[in-house]
Amino acid sequence: MKAMSPLEELRHSASHILATAVLRLFPEAKLDIGPPTDTGFYYDFDLDHKFTPNDLTRIEEEMRKVAAENQRFERFETTLEEAEVLIRERGQERYKLGRLADIPKGDPISFYRNGEFVDLCAGTHVNYSKKLKAFKLLSIAGAYHRGDEKNKQLQRIYGTAFATKDELAAYLEQLEEAKKRDHRKLGRDLKLFHIDEAVGQGLILWTPNGAIIRQELQNFIASELRKQGYEQVFTPHIGKLGLYRTSGHFPYYRESQFSPVVDHDELANLAHEGCSCAELSNRLDKGEVDGYLLKPMNCPMHIKIFDSQPHSYRDLPVRLAEFGTVYRWEQSGELNGMTRVRGFTQDDAHIFCTEDQVGQEVQGCLALVKVVFDTLGMKDYRVRVGLRDPDSSKFTGDAALWDKAEAALREAVKTLGVPYAEEPGEAAFYGPKIDFVVKDVIGREWQLGTVQVDYNLPRRFNLSYVGADNKDHYPVMIHRAPFGSMERFTGVLIEHFAGNFPVWLAPEQVRVLPITDDQMVYAGEVEKSLRATGLRCSVDRHSDKFGAKVRRAELEKVPYMLVIGKNEVAEGKVTIRSRFRKAHEGTTTPEEAIARIAQEAALRTLAD
């Protein structure tokens, strides 16, 4: 078991104090688990009473009483039989006996006691409860037992804890700022995207404003891809199961994919045979029945494009890029706006190269990621190098080839000049990977771009090129996606910028504000000039007072306003007002104002 850090111990102890307090107030509650997390802790309860915000206040007050009692955390071990008796005596057999059964045979069975509370737990904890001086209960959520929708939904209480009150206060301030930046709220307020139950959970409807942001991001990355010699391809949303059997995605990762589709004739034959759903599923897994799958990955189809014609070593590298939509079956409880969805579009590309070219091509991928992050002001990031776990059966292929792929990534990541950590067991099933973890402006981390080196899929599909020795060789395949997915990346950007997008990404870049209706004709002429330059703009033709027009443009986060009053009409000019400075920045000709804004958009600058 991995040792806990002091902060993890503190938070783990807080979860036990939480359970202690809940049982004092609700003795009938049944307990499941209460681990620490990256940002705090939680505990899952089965209770007929539905927790309310008022309950959280009461529970937190009781937690403070427990902490003040300075209870000692004591560990003790038992036999399996003793553990079962102890759990039953405490009336907690509903979930704890199942957790007890999860402990591998031969491993120690341990409990922790603090005051009257005893919990099955591997630990570790602080010595005394008085160390919990800075904690806060945050929210209540539903959580299925063991994360399975087929099981009962429990009530999860989330909290956080820190070593000092100052650290807690800083974190709570960050949470408040995060609420203001929540992409789900801003996405609704700014009309960027919509999720409709009639369409399906986790399926994003990009509305016109959001579609502009997505298209601008795609145009940006496409222009960089052309510089690096990528070729654009398009592939269908569905493919035969055999394709994904060969790649390894089916049936081994079936639980994270949509159910296969069987064609009408085959389905009719199976129904005539009296084939049950369970039998059909089993036969699909064994390959006895064919069907189609909503594609979970683009790579098998790119492989088939590469394999559609012969290649010489002189042709390599071949770089194929696609904004390809893929589908994954996420649990409903894990869906979250744009950042966790069931259908998403990757800025995907696959490079087929010789072994000698791997290092250079990985460097090119890393350079592309850096361009993306620098352009968007995401300069605070770290790197994870996901390696295979030799003891796990998850990873396919020859160990020697894995060693080569991992060595190539290690060498490449050293050139970035940023912190990185190696994480065994976090590779893709076909190869090691580099993941980029970006810190946004309020300190939260997001996993975005990825680069992967793959010696295995080319062998699974028997790909080849003719080498300088006139013999067939397997190419090496590099998978890369700087954005990761357009949905997740856009959701992160909404929160990173708090909806205040730079000019080049803003759905509406300029709004013309006539002070009265007398300036409406001239405002229309300025609008035509803006559109002729390619800028996204509108005229506020409402009959509101000028202050209301300014306020509306600010709420809709339009970067620039061109104000037109009677003096501007008389002089043939406009007055520039920017979004953040909220003050007039001078009067100039429409041509000069348009040139200034157009240049800012073209340079993709972050300055307002």
Side-chain angles (χ1 to χ4, degrees):
M1 183 182 68
K2 180 183 176 182
M4 286 190 181
S5 68
L7 183 56
E8 287 174 320
E9 284 190 343
L10 188 74
R11 289 171 172 173
H12 195 189
S13 304
S15 76
H16 279 224
I17 297 299
L18 165 60
T20 306
V22 167
L23 286 180
R24 284 185 178 183
L25 297 172
F26 306 93
E28 68 277 21
K30 304 304 177 187
L31 310 178
D32 189 16
I33 57 172
T37 68
D38 290 342
T39 58
F41 61 90
Y42 68 81
Y43 213 112
D44 288 346
F45 302 95
D46 186 354
L47 184 65
D48 289 338
H49 171 80
K50 298 301 179 184
F51 289 129
T52 66
N54 286 338
D55 290 327
L56 284 193
T57 301
R58 291 177 59 209
I59 294 167
E60 188 176 308
E61 289 173 356
E62 192 64 35
M63 287 177 68
R64 298 194 188 286
K65 293 177 184 178
V66 174
E69 292 170 12
N70 200 20
Q71 296 178 351
R72 182 181 177 185
F73 284 89
E74 299 176 282
R75 182 180 185 274
F76 62 94
E77 294 184 6
T78 70
T79 65
L80 178 61
E81 293 76 15
E82 290 169 339
E84 290 179 349
V85 170
L86 182 57
I87 289 169
R88 292 184 187 279
E89 285 179 345
R90 305 188 72 81
Q92 294 296 336
E93 62 271 16
R94 185 176 301 174
Y95 301 105
K96 292 297 182 180
L97 287 180
R99 298 297 180 180
L100 178 64
D102 293 339
I103 299 174
K105 188 175 182 179
D107 282 8
I109 298 172
S110 62
F111 288 79
Y112 270 82
R113 184 197 312 276
N114 58 282
E116 77 275 18
F117 181 72
V118 176
D119 201 5
L120 178 69
C121 181
T124 50
H125 292 276
V126 298
N127 294 329
Y128 290 94
S129 63
K130 69 178 181 181
K131 290 192 175 182
L132 276 81
K133 298 177 180 178
F135 59 86
K136 180 72 177 175
L137 295 185
L138 301 173
S139 61
I140 307 159
Y144 291 105
H145 176 51
R146 295 184 181 271
D148 189 338
E149 290 177 314
K150 297 175 183 177
N151 292 334
K152 185 172 184 180
Q153 190 176 63
L154 309 181
Q155 297 186 77
R156 177 172 293 178
I157 295 180
Y158 284 101
T160 193
F162 287 88
T164 67
K165 291 183 179 180
D166 286 346
E167 289 174 299
L168 175 62
Y171 178 72
L172 295 177
E173 183 178 344
Q174 183 191 78
L175 287 184
E176 286 303 310
E177 181 62 26
K179 287 180 183 178
K180 298 175 187 175
R181 293 170 177 265
D182 190 325
H183 76 281
R184 294 165 299 183
K185 179 181 183 301
L186 287 172
R188 181 173 59 253
D189 294 345
L190 300 177
K191 301 180 178 64
L192 301 177
F193 69 96
H194 177 60
I195 299 173
D196 196 300
E197 285 295 325
V199 176
Q201 290 186 358
L203 301 174
I204 302 299
L205 299 174
W206 293 81
T207 49
N209 284 352
I212 289 171
I213 296 171
R214 171 171 167 163
Q215 191 62 57
E216 288 295 331
L217 288 171
Q218 290 186 186
N219 291 343
F220 162 51
I221 197 71
S223 68
E224 295 298 325
L225 294 181
R226 286 191 290 272
K227 295 175 187 177
Q228 290 197 9
Y230 283 83
E231 298 174 288
Q232 189 76 36
V233 298
F234 297 93
T235 61
H237 291 244
I238 191 169
K240 295 188 75 171
L241 278 176
L243 185 70
Y244 296 101
R245 290 194 183 99
T246 302
S247 71
H249 293 96
F250 187 88
Y252 306 110
Y253 295 89
R254 183 170 184 169
E255 70 281 355
S256 61
Q257 298 166 13
F258 278 79
S259 298
V261 178
V262 180
D263 69 47
H264 292 295
D265 292 339
E266 183 78 11
L267 200 57
N269 291 334
L270 292 168
H272 183 71
E273 295 172 10
C275 182
S276 67
C277 290
E279 184 181 353
L280 172 60
S281 179
N282 187 46
R283 292 174 68 178
L284 283 166
D285 287 351
K286 291 180 178 179
E288 296 172 357
V289 174
D290 206 357
Y292 292 83
L293 192 68
L294 282 170
K295 65 176 179 180
M297 301 289 282
N298 298 304
C299 37
M301 293 189 179
H302 290 191
I303 285 171
K304 285 300 181 182
I305 291 175
F306 176 85
D307 198 34
S308 65
Q309 53 188 293
H311 294 280
S312 158
Y313 71 97
R314 298 179 187 275
D315 303 325
L316 303 186
V318 171
R319 306 181 186 97
L320 304 179
E322 176 182 19
F323 294 103
T325 302
V326 298
Y327 302 88
R328 311 274 176 82
W329 183 258
E330 299 284 358
Q331 298 285 344
S332 60
E334 296 176 344
L335 298 174
N336 180 29
M338 299 184 93
T339 60
R340 197 72 180 266
V341 294
R342 287 175 173 162
F344 54 95
T345 302
Q346 296 177 308
D347 62 320
D348 214 355
H350 297 92
I351 302 169
F352 302 86
C353 62
T354 68
E355 195 169 315
D356 291 342
Q357 294 169 333
V358 169
Q360 178 182 341
E361 291 303 310
V362 171
Q363 291 283 4
C365 294
L366 299 183
L368 180 60
V369 173
K370 290 189 71 173
V371 167
V372 169
F373 289 168
D374 287 348
T375 301
L376 292 164
M378 294 177 158
K379 298 185 179 182
D380 188 358
Y381 62 91
R382 61 184 177 87
V383 172
R384 293 191 309 229
V385 182
L387 308 174
R388 79 191 187 287
D389 178 356
D391 297 326
S392 172
S393 60
K394 166 187 171 184
F395 308 101
T396 65
D398 183 81
L401 297 177
W402 273 91
D403 291 341
K404 288 182 180 181
E406 290 178 352
L409 285 190
R410 282 191 177 100
E411 287 304 310
V413 77
K414 290 176 183 176
T415 67
L416 284 171
V418 298
Y420 73 93
E422 296 184 359
E423 298 190 6
E426 294 303 315
F429 75 89
Y430 46 76
K433 62 178 180 175
I434 294 174
D435 287 331
F436 291 83
V437 182
V438 178
K439 185 175 289 188
D440 68 14
V441 292
I442 61 171
R444 298 169 303 175
E445 290 192 327
W446 305 88
Q447 193 274 307
L448 295 176
T450 186
V451 179
Q452 304 164 1
V453 176
D454 177 9
Y455 280 78
N456 287 306
L457 286 186
R459 284 162 172 76
R460 294 176 77 104
F461 282 92
N462 198 30
L463 300 184
S464 67
Y465 69 90
V466 178
D469 57 2
N470 211 31
K471 295 180 180 179
D472 285 344
H473 298 266
Y474 292 113
V476 181
M477 191 173 173
I478 299 172
H479 311 242
R480 72 104 195 95
F483 291 152
S485 87
M486 303 306 297
E487 286 76 9
R488 179 177 174 81
F489 196 84
T490 300
V492 171
L493 281 186
I494 292 170
E495 299 199 4
H496 181 66
F497 289 121
N500 293 302
F501 292 101
V503 175
W504 69 279
L505 279 179
E508 184 179 351
Q509 296 164 313
V510 189
R511 186 167 296 175
V512 183
L513 303 184
I515 294 177
T516 70
D517 287 351
D518 294 339
Q519 293 90 47
M520 202 64 72
V521 173
Y522 181 57
E525 293 172 0
V526 173
E527 180 188 27
K528 288 180 182 178
S529 298
L530 286 162
R531 291 190 186 281
T533 313
L535 290 170
R536 299 184 290 273
C537 63
S538 71
V539 175
D540 189 329
R541 292 182 168 86
H542 292 88
S543 58
D544 300 340
K545 292 183 178 179
F546 177 68
K549 294 182 179 182
V550 172
R551 178 62 177 158
R552 181 161 44 246
E554 289 175 347
L555 287 174
E556 294 175 11
K557 302 185 184 296
V558 181
Y560 282 104
M561 291 160 258
L562 298 185
V563 179
I564 297 174
K566 63 180 180 180
N567 291 337
E568 283 82 4
V569 173
E571 299 173 8
K573 294 185 176 182
V574 295
T575 296
I576 301 175
R577 182 184 178 99
S578 72
R579 175 179 56 203
F580 282 138
R581 286 181 277 276
K582 298 182 179 179
H584 292 170
E585 297 186 355
T587 300
T588 185
T589 64
E591 293 76 17
E592 289 175 345
I594 291 169
R596 168 184 162 181
I597 298 168
Q599 182 182 34
E600 187 174 335
L603 293 175
R604 297 192 175 98
T605 177
L606 293 175
D608 280 274

